[in-house]
Amino acid sequence: MEREYLKGLGLEDEVIGKIMAEHGKTVQSLQSERDAATEEVATYKSQVEQRDNDIKELKESSTSKKDYDDKIAALEAKNAQDKQELESKLEQIKFDSKLTLSLKDADVRNPNAIKGLLELEDIKLKEDELEGLNEQLEALKESDGYLFNQPEDTAQITTTGNPTGKPGTETDVFAAAAQKFS
């Protein structure tokens, strides 16, 4: 989606900004899912290649049934360990992706800085939700609010002493100035 397209529809810049921010969240989410899937595919491919090599080596080197059985048992143990490591790595990728998206949704200024302040071992990914994150973010908002984007203050500041911000008469300006210095 491009800003020019939205401008062509007659939308105001403020509305376009909000639409683009929301669209950015969706894109970020999809990119995280794609990255996790790509990593998973690459890991599976390398595992299949490694197992093919192990089978080829086994066929070439086995001479007796006992050797064959021993090598099969060793390969099964290695494959179980590889599977455990892969599952752990994939869980970490899912956790990192969900944490990044959650921090973006929490409107933090610098996700990497916030990650350094979080107690990550206290945050658990359960059913696609991060338990323990909201409590830590709320505590950080209270103690270090500058780390989060704040809503813009739209109060109008006037220099004429006219609180309405509407143009006044010269008399109003002089009266405000006189009152200020008296």
Side-chain angles (χ1 to χ4, degrees), residues 156 158 160 162-169 172:
Q156 186 175 6
T158 62
T160 62
N162 182 355
T164 64
K166 296 179 183 173
T169 64
D172 292 339

Side-chain angles (χ1 to χ4, degrees), residues 97-117:
S97 295
K98 185 65 177 174
L99 180 61
T100 300
L101 290 174
S102 296
L103 292 176
K104 186 170 180 66
D105 288 344
D107 215 16
V108 300
R109 290 183 184 215
N110 185 342
N112 291 330
I114 295 284
K115 285 180 186 178
L117 297 173

Side-chain angles (χ1 to χ4, degrees), residues 60-133:
E60 292 172 356
S61 66
S62 293
T63 55
S64 71
K65 177 158 176 33
K66 176 154 178 32
D67 289 342
Y68 183 74
D69 289 342
D70 291 344
K71 288 188 179 190
I72 291 285
L75 286 175
E76 286 175 342
K78 181 179 179 281
N79 287 343
Q81 181 182 1
D82 288 348
K83 181 180 178 184
Q84 177 67 27
E85 289 173 5
L86 172 64
E87 288 173 353
S88 175
K89 188 176 181 181
L90 289 175
E91 283 301 312
Q92 186 63 43
I93 290 170
K94 288 178 186 177
F95 176 83
D96 290 342
S97 295
K98 185 65 177 174
L99 180 61
T100 300
L101 290 174
S102 296
L103 292 176
K104 186 170 180 66
D105 288 344
D107 215 16
V108 300
R109 290 183 184 215
N110 185 342
N112 291 330
I114 295 284
K115 285 180 186 178
L117 297 173
L118 294 173
E119 298 292 333
L120 295 178
E121 59 275 356
D122 294 339
I123 301 172
K124 304 293 181 213
L125 179 64
K126 292 186 180 175
E127 297 179 19
D128 203 36
E129 292 296 322
L130 292 173
E131 292 182 356
L133 176 64

Side-chain angles (χ1 to χ4, degrees), residues 130-148:
L130 292 173
E131 292 182 356
L133 176 64
N134 289 337
E135 295 81 10
Q136 291 187 42
L137 287 178
E138 289 302 319
L140 282 172
K141 280 181 185 178
E142 288 182 26
S143 65
D144 299 304
Y146 62 90
L147 294 171
F148 297 84

Side-chain angles (χ1 to χ4, degrees), residues 46-62 68 71-72 74-76 78-79 82:
S46 69
Q47 259 190 348
V48 167
E49 184 177 308
Q50 180 62 41
R51 288 179 182 174
D52 287 346
N53 289 338
D54 290 344
I55 290 172
K56 181 180 177 184
E57 182 183 312
L58 180 64
K59 284 180 182 179
E60 292 172 356
S61 66
S62 293
Y68 183 74
K71 288 188 179 190
I72 291 285
L75 286 175
E76 286 175 342
K78 181 179 179 281
N79 287 343
D82 288 348

